[in-house]
Amino acid sequence: MVVQLILGHHTFSLAGHDRGSYVAFRLAMDHPGAVEKLAVIDSIPIIDHLERMDWRFARDWYHWFFFSQKLKPEAAINADPLGWYDAIKPGLMGKEAYDDVVSALTDPVVIHGMVEDYRAGLAVDWKHDVEDRKHGRKIQCPLLRLWSRFDDLVDHFGDPLPIWRSWANDVQGHPLDSGHHIAEVRVSSAISMLRPSTDRPFLICAASSSRAAPFASEIALVRSKRRVPSGSSISSSPSRMLKKNRLMVLPSWQ
C-alpha cells in the first residue's frame, strides 16, 4: 500500500499468484477502499488450506512445513539452490527470465525473504484469516479466481470457487490450460484474462522475485498517466524492480 501511495495511486486493481495472492488478499481485506478489483491465481486462503489439508497435502506440499522451521531451510537451499529448485529450466521460460530467476535463487537474502513468507503464513497470516471470518469481513470488490488446470490444487481441495465465495460476494473464475508456472508458460492467456487497459493502475504481486517478469515484457511497467517519480529507487527494469520490491505496477483489466 505504501508503494502505491508513493507512486501516486490511491485506488488500483490487484492480482497475485501463489504466495503473492496472499499479499493481494490481505491488502484487499485491510484496505477495501483502495482495491477496486482483485485477482487471485493458484491459491485459496491459508486458513482454508490448514482446515482442509490431509496427509496427501503434507506429502506433496511438505515445503510449507519445512520452511516454517528456523534457519534450516535457508541452509538447505543455499547449499545447492539449483538442486533445490531443479524443476526450473530455461526451456520453460526463456533465457532472460531464467537468468533472472537464477540470480534471485542464488541470493541468500532473497531465499531468506521467500522462506520468511512461508513462516508468516503459519505464524500470523492464518490468525488474520480467523479474525476476519469471526467478524464477518469479506472482500468488498469483484474477485477473479484463476487456477492452473494441470496443477494439483484442485486435486487436494476441489473446486476453488465455492471456497472463495465464502470470502467475497462477487466471485468469477475458471481454470487456465497451464501448469503452476502460469507467468512463464501462459503469459498471453493470463494477460487476456486480466484484460489490461491504460486508464487505471494495476498491481501484480509475484510469488517469487522474478516469476512475473514475462508479464512485464508484454506490458509496459507503468502505462497509466502517473509515472515512477524521477529519482525514485525503483528501477525501470522489470526484473530489477521485481527483485527489489517483489511487485510491479501494470494497468488494470476492464
Side-chain angles (χ1 to χ4, degrees), residues 80-246:
D80 184 11
L82 299 187
W84 185 271
Y85 294 103
D86 60 349
I88 297 176
K89 305 293 184 183
L92 179 68
M93 62 191 74
K95 186 178 185 303
E96 183 179 1
Y98 175 78
D99 289 345
D100 192 54
V101 170
V102 169
S103 176
L105 295 180
T106 52
D107 183 344
V109 174
V110 172
I111 294 300
H112 178 66
M114 292 166 65
V115 173
E116 280 288 287
D117 180 56
Y118 283 88
R119 291 186 180 119
L122 297 184
V124 297
D125 291 348
W126 71 271
K127 295 179 182 179
H128 295 159
D129 292 352
V130 169
E131 283 298 306
D132 287 335
R133 181 190 285 167
K134 177 181 177 181
H135 292 93
R137 288 191 286 264
K138 291 188 174 185
I139 297 295
Q140 299 300 305
C141 63
L143 187 150
L144 175 66
R145 172 62 170 96
L146 303 174
W147 64 94
S148 308
R149 192 186 301 276
F150 308 124
D151 199 15
D152 61 352
L153 187 71
V154 172
D155 295 337
H156 285 292
F157 301 112
D159 185 351
L161 288 179
I163 296 174
W164 279 105
R165 284 178 177 138
S166 69
W167 291 95
N169 294 322
D170 183 356
V171 180
Q172 302 180 42
H174 55 82
L176 295 174
D177 288 332
S178 174
H180 181 65
H181 298 93
I182 290 176
E184 287 84 4
V185 301
R186 288 292 182 268
V187 179
S188 297
S189 296
I191 290 172
S192 67
M193 293 303 99
L194 300 177
R195 277 182 265 204
S197 64
T198 60
D199 57 345
R200 300 296 299 152
F202 173 41
L203 179 68
I204 288 183
C205 303
S208 66
S209 64
S210 306
R211 182 158 294 174
F215 286 102
S217 69
E218 290 213 3
I219 305 178
L221 189 62
V222 178
R223 282 201 325 214
S224 64
K225 293 182 180 179
R226 296 183 181 272
R227 299 286 175 170
V228 177
S230 60
S232 170
S233 61
I234 298 177
S235 169
S236 60
S237 163
S239 61
R240 290 192 180 92
M241 183 177 180
L242 286 166
K243 192 175 296 184
K244 288 182 179 180
N245 301 282
R246 307 295 187 274

Side-chain angles (χ1 to χ4, degrees), residues 61-75:
W61 294 41
Y62 70 93
H63 61 284
W64 269 44
F65 310 102
F66 178 56
F67 286 177
S68 69
Q69 307 306 308
K70 294 182 178 179
L71 301 179
K72 291 183 179 180
E74 287 94 333

